[in-house]
Each structure stands twice: as C-alpha cells, then as structure tokens.
Amino acid sequence: MKNTTALIIVDLNNDFMPGGALGAEGADAVLPVINELAAGDAYGLVVATQDWHPEEHVSFDQWPPHCVAGTPGAELHPHLDDANIDVIIRKGFDAHADSYSGFYNEHGETNGLAELLRARRIEAVDIVGIATDYCVKATAIDAATKAGFRTRVLLNGCRGVGLEPNHIPDAIAAMRAAGVEVVD
Ligand code: VGL
Ligand code: ZN
C-alpha cells in the first residue's frame, strides 16, 4: 500500500542558517535529522519549501533583505540531501504578498502545495524546518485547517527565531490550538 504521509521541509535556505542574513541560532543542527527522515521509508512524498523573494519585497519592511531570488542566500543549504526531495515549492515570490505559509500567501493565493499533496493522495503531513515561530507555524496551521491534512510538527527537526522568550512556546500553543500534533 502506498504511504499516504508526506514530509514537508520548511525553508532550509542558507539565509536562515547561522551566518545568513536572517540566521536562526543552531538551525544547521536540523540538517542531519531531516536528511535521515527524508531517507527513510516513512514518507510517500518529500516536499521542501524555499523562501524566494524579489529584490524588493513587502517582508523587507519587517526583516532584513533575505532569500533574494538567484542569490546564494536563497539556495537551500548544501548539506540538505536533495536526492530524497521529490518537489521544491517556492513561496514569497510576489513582491506585494508575504507568504510565511508554504500553502497560501497572505492574500490567500495558493503556492500549489495543497493541490500537489491531494493529487498524490496524501492524507497526513509531518512538518520540520525553520522557523518554528514563523514559517513552520504558518505552514502547520494552514495544513491542519485550510488545507485539511492530519498534521504533525516534529520539533527535533525545527529551530525557531525566538525574538522574545515567549515566541516559540506561544507558536507551539497556537499550532496545538489549531489541531496540530506537536511532537517533542
Ligand atoms: C521566514 C521570516 C521571513 C521563515 C521567512 O522561513 O520563517 N521568516 N521569511
Ligand atoms: Zn522571507
């Protein structure tokens, strides 16, 4: 029987790694964890999202410029083993719409992820990546609610930004409140 669970790897762009334009502390520690998950036989489909912004982007009001299309910072980390990644979904490419979520931008326009998962008969998703308190949170909540998949977040494959000490615990609580199973 075909495995109906997908792994979604959120935003392992170089710019979110230590030393990057918007680096999250310890973020590179998730790479071996995620490579092992993607190499196993637990998943019927492995998807990576990639933050991918034009040179002028609405999110640069809030964040330093990052993940500018075509720059090294926008590439996925070279230690992410792409042999086991089936599809890459880019997001945030519309200059006027932010897209923390891999599923839909802030205007509700689809990035194509939900349609891809449905076409492949996926019923459940496991989510890992960066950042727990931004794009992982938004992707997981959309997965569980708007897109309607059974959704887990695997925290050992995630790192957060944590601008304030409560941000990561609050993000975990918000995901749980949305019906996401958050696994330590
Ligand atoms: C992200 C801030 C801006 C993320 C993306 O991947 O969490 N955060 N763009
Ligand atoms: Zn971004």
Side-chain angles (χ1 to χ4, degrees):
M1 208 188 88
K2 185 181 178 314
N3 193 315
T4 56
T5 301
L7 181 67
I8 301 177
I9 304 166
V10 175
D11 290 9
L12 295 192
N13 300 68
N14 287 321
D15 270 343
F16 297 130
M17 296 291 168
L22 197 43
E25 204 181 308
D28 47 345
V30 303
L31 288 159
V33 176
I34 292 174
N35 284 335
E36 195 177 322
L37 286 170
D41 52 15
Y43 299 108
L45 188 71
V46 179
V47 182
T49 68
Q50 184 175 25
D51 211 38
W52 190 260
H53 299 314
E55 260 178 65
E56 309 262 346
H57 187 256
V58 60
S59 79
F60 301 165
D61 297 343
Q62 185 186 354
W63 301 104
H66 63 276
C67 301
V68 173
T71 67
E75 295 304 318
L76 298 182
H77 193 284
H79 293 169
L80 177 65
D81 184 2
D82 66 5
N84 299 312
I85 295 173
D86 299 307
V87 182
I88 294 172
I89 296 266
R90 287 176 173 167
K91 64 189 197 51
F93 44 79
D94 180 336
H96 305 289
D98 208 354
S99 191
Y100 283 170
S101 166
F103 283 91
Y104 309 99
N105 71 17
E106 63 181 339
H107 299 157
E109 293 161 333
T110 183
N111 294 323
L113 179 52
E115 293 76 7
L116 167 73
L117 298 176
R118 284 186 207 115
R120 297 306 175 105
R121 301 289 178 265
I122 294 297
E123 293 167 5
V125 296
D126 282 356
I127 300 178
V128 291
I130 307 167
T132 317
D133 39 349
Y134 293 97
C135 290
V136 169
K137 172 188 163 190
T139 301
I141 290 175
D142 272 353
T145 60
K146 217 173 151 180
F149 295 96
R150 194 150 34 82
T151 304
R152 301 196 306 168
V153 166
L154 311 179
L155 287 181
N156 67 341
C158 297
R159 285 297 181 280
V161 176
L163 286 178
E164 300 291 340
N166 61 308
H167 281 184
I168 294 171
D170 284 359
I172 291 169
M175 290 190 277
R176 288 193 167 130
V180 176
E181 183 185 349
V182 181
V183 182
D184 280 313

